[in-house]
Amino acid sequence: MITFLLIITLFAIAFWGFMQQPKFGKAPSGERLKLILNSPQYKNGKFENQNYTPDLAEGVTYYSLFYDFFFKKAPRKKPTDLIPSIKTNLLELPLDHDVLVWFGHSSYYLQLAGKRFLIDPVFSGNASPVPGTTRSFKGTDIYTVDDLPEIDYLLITHDHYDHLDYETILKLKPKTKKVITALGVGSHFEFWGFPTENIIEKDWYNQVILDPNLTLYTVPARHFSGRSFKRCNTLWTSFVLESKDFKMYLGGDSGYDSHYKEIGEKYGPFDIAVMDNGQYDEKWKYIHNTPEDVINALKELKPKRVLPVHSSKFVLALHPWDEPLKRITALNTNSENPLPLITPMIGELVELRNEKQQFKQWWKEVV
């Protein structure tokens, strides 16, 4: 009995020590917490979605979820082959070129109206606080922070590890002019040494005027947040990025809900929509879009083209690694009004204003 208690005590001490690491960030406090408490989205001691959003679907338990993930056989969760990629020289891209470069999952770089943006970058090769547990696919890590130019605006949709990566953020600190994110997330950045004056935090339906030709809006998503045991103490968001003659919907992680229609009516139509399309499951259908959800959302957002993301880099669900791209392609082809799909390889240059740019279905060549 004494030995058992000693083991439990040592484990508790080790776990406590592990949780003190700076990668877990810091909960909002002080003036930031006062702003949070005044947010219409903050209710019952936490941020909430516009409509009731359970973590898991009806009848699903966390026990069954963990059992399936760790013991159930799920074929082709990871590719056997290398994920193909292209190494574009981002340091020499002319700033007057409006382009986008995808890094896999939900990380991408874009240039619009003479400004450089970086969205949810993860370059550490891991999407978990526990080293080696959620490794990136082979071939997806050809870019590092050193390959990036100076960033005008670092956009962070929420504070989950596959979107807010501690190692990457620290390396980006000297290259980043401004951070724009949702309420509360700035607490992590301050804790990690970013100057307070360089952090912009907004509630839903707020705007940030970047310059006379460029405006950013923070808009709803249907998701959740949290980097440790406390959930939803920071807000999650999507963005609308608008210049005088070009408009983009930059979707964060989200399940389908009425917010897509609201965003489409208030800000749309869009030239390009970036959509969460991967790591889904019927067990958590309220917080991640299925490809069918994406098709429905596109009818409401009304973009000219769509870039499906949140796939092809990490295993965070049990579906085959290439299923999100296969399903969205098939559904879009058979839809009433099919849209041009933007499906670049990692690193391939996407020309934002070229509606006729073609992309091959590169996943078909990967086992």
Side-chain angles (χ1 to χ4, degrees), residues 98 112-115 209-216 241-246 353:
D98 294 337
L112 182 65
K115 297 296 182 182
I209 298 175
L210 307 179
D211 68 25
N213 185 37
L214 207 53
T215 303
L216 186 76
L241 180 61
E242 180 179 14
S243 71
K244 287 182 179 178
D245 61 352
F246 200 83
R353 297 179 184 271

Side-chain angles (χ1 to χ4, degrees), residues 58-71:
E58 294 78 6
V60 179
T61 65
Y62 279 105
Y63 173 80
S64 65
L65 187 70
F66 292 145
Y67 180 87
D68 286 351
F69 205 85
F70 290 106
F71 299 104

Side-chain angles (χ1 to χ4, degrees), residues 164-331:
L164 179 57
D165 179 53
Y166 172 68
E167 291 182 27
T168 301
I169 295 302
L170 286 192
K171 292 176 182 177
L172 278 168
K173 196 188 305 183
K175 285 190 172 187
T176 301
K177 293 181 180 179
K178 294 285 184 181
V179 177
I180 305 178
T181 187
L183 278 180
V185 181
S187 182
H188 303 310
F189 283 90
E190 275 192 4
F191 182 58
W192 296 334
F194 281 71
T196 304
E197 62 270 19
N198 292 348
I199 304 168
I200 300 171
E201 294 170 85
K202 293 293 182 179
D203 206 337
W204 291 341
Y205 293 121
N206 285 177
Q207 73 170 15
V208 183
I209 298 175
L210 307 179
D211 68 25
N213 185 37
L214 207 53
T215 303
L216 186 76
Y217 300 92
T218 46
V219 294
R222 191 184 195 188
H223 201 53
F224 68 105
S225 66
R227 291 182 73 83
S228 58
F229 296 111
K230 189 169 180 59
R231 284 186 159 195
C232 302
N233 63 337
T234 63
L235 188 59
W236 47 97
T237 193
S238 295
F239 299 99
V240 171
L241 180 61
E242 180 179 14
S243 71
K244 287 182 179 178
D245 61 352
F246 200 83
K247 195 181 295 185
M248 300 181 69
Y249 171 70
L250 311 180
D253 283 5
S254 182
Y256 182 79
D257 204 0
S258 58
H259 65 286
Y260 286 122
K261 184 177 181 181
E262 293 173 11
I263 293 167
E265 291 175 347
K266 187 175 178 66
Y267 302 100
F270 298 95
D271 293 283
I272 291 176
V274 181
M275 298 295 296
D276 171 31
N277 176 66
Q279 317 317 314
Y280 49 77
D281 194 297
E282 280 299 308
K283 295 181 178 65
W284 54 84
K285 63 182 180 179
Y286 297 110
I287 56 174
H288 278 297
N289 292 323
T290 64
E292 289 81 3
D293 291 332
V294 174
I295 295 297
N296 288 330
L298 293 176
K299 296 174 184 176
E300 298 167 337
L301 292 168
K302 297 180 175 62
K304 294 178 182 176
R305 292 192 291 166
V306 58
L307 168 61
V309 297
H310 210 244
S311 71
S312 308
K313 190 163 186 173
F314 301 111
V315 175
L316 298 172
L318 297 178
H319 58 63
W321 75 270
D322 54 357
E323 182 186 284
L325 289 171
K326 284 182 175 179
R327 280 175 63 181
I328 194 66
T329 301
L331 288 165

